Amino acid sequence: MSQPLPRHVAIIMDGNGRWAKAHKIKVALGHRKGVEALRAIIRESSDLGIEALSLYAFSTENWRRSPQEVAALMGLLLEYFTSEIDELDEKNVRIRILGDKDGMPDKQRAALINAEARTRDNTGLNLNLAINYGGRAELARAARLLAEKAVRGEIAPEDIGEDALANELYTAGLPDVDLLIRTSGEMRLSNFLLYQCAYAEFLFPETLWPDFGLEDYHAALAAFAGRDRRFGGRKA
Ligand code: FPP
């Protein structure tokens, strides 16, 4: 595998709808196929020793889709957490949910809470699933948490800097995103990990998410390894 590997990979899994349309099947089946793709990428990330993998599974804006599509996605989420949790736990994967769990239906919320609690001491891949997530909402939440700490006298306003803010994000303790992949050729961040992507390398493969396989993933990792990262500095 090409070196250096990114420590933290983030993926916007786009194109399930177009994939379903191209195959003349219901969008729900496109999402189901998307879950298969996601399984393989999670397994490979774990096997490669990548530290963190963040996947955009459901944004705060996705509630605007048809009730049928939302129900299909909620069903898939529940199914995923029920069927995969044993294998993920065995693989020492630590699951974190990025997003507002309180805004989720009861069964899904319980499954998400259970997955986090069950895997919290695992030390392998940090698998972050962004569910009912928005980047601006995450930043507003972090500001609110800091303000509450300041009111309680636990932190002085002058001590609020980048580290203090990062510590209130859902990704607290994890490295910044090194590589962001958005499939399907769309070139947007769509409110995903706004703070954490400050110095991320971006890749926009044309492949629709259900077709994104290990070869595509390896190609993305090789492209990342070839990037010249300067973090605002200059190479000597
Ligand atoms: C984008 O495709 C994808 C989504 C909005 C959802 C991604 C969700 C999954 C892959 C499955 C659920 C996740 C888990 C963890 C079980 P799109 O529908 O926007 O595609 P389009 O732009 O072609 O319409």
Side-chain angles (χ1 to χ4, degrees), residues 13-18 31 34-35 38 57 62 65 76-77 80:
M13 308 178 286
D14 201 3
N16 295 348
R18 275 162 285 167
H31 290 311
V35 176
L38 154 163
N62 286 153
R65 296 194 175 192
L76 276 175
L77 276 175
Y80 178 79

Side-chain angles (χ1 to χ4, degrees), residues 92-180:
N92 200 20
V93 171
R94 175 169 178 185
I95 297 172
R96 280 185 183 79
I97 305 303
L98 318 181
D100 180 16
K101 293 189 285 280
D102 290 339
M104 294 292 286
D106 290 348
K107 278 188 189 161
Q108 281 75 4
R109 184 173 63 245
L112 303 181
I113 290 171
N114 173 59
E116 284 188 316
R118 183 163 159 193
T119 63
R120 69 174 318 123
D121 295 326
N122 288 352
T123 53
L125 172 71
N126 288 287
L127 174 61
N128 304 323
L129 291 162
I131 296 172
N132 198 19
Y133 173 87
R136 287 184 175 179
E138 179 185 32
L139 287 166
R141 173 181 176 272
R144 195 166 55 245
L145 292 171
L146 286 171
E148 286 166 4
K149 280 189 176 172
V151 167
R152 290 196 300 267
E154 292 167 17
I155 190 167
E158 58 271 25
D159 291 334
I160 297 178
E162 293 184 16
D163 290 346
L165 186 73
N167 275 328
E168 302 299 341
L169 299 176
Y170 294 117
T171 50
L174 296 175
D176 278 351
V177 173
D178 296 303
L179 170 62
L180 177 112

Side-chain angles (χ1 to χ4, degrees), residues 2 4-9 49-52 177-179 217 220-222 224-225 229:
S2 34
L5 276 177
R7 292 178 68 192
H8 188 167
V9 178
I50 285 173
E51 216 171 306
V177 173
D178 296 303
L179 170 62
Y217 193 31
L221 295 173
F224 170 82
R229 303 185 83 200

Side-chain angles (χ1 to χ4, degrees), residues 12-20 27 30-36 38 42 55-59 62 65 69 72-73 75-81 129 131 182 184 186 188 208-210:
I12 302 178
M13 308 178 286
D14 201 3
N16 295 348
R18 275 162 285 167
W19 188 91
V27 66
H31 290 311
R32 184 169 285 282
K33 190 78 178 144
V35 176
E36 280 176 32
L38 154 163
I42 292 173
L55 301 171
Y56 210 176
F58 194 88
S59 75
N62 286 153
R65 296 194 175 192
E69 187 173 350
L73 282 165
L76 276 175
L77 276 175
L78 198 56
E79 200 179 310
Y80 178 79
F81 279 96
L129 291 162
I131 296 172
R182 182 175 189 147
S184 88
E186 302 290 348
R188 289 187 294 277
L208 301 176
W209 175 251

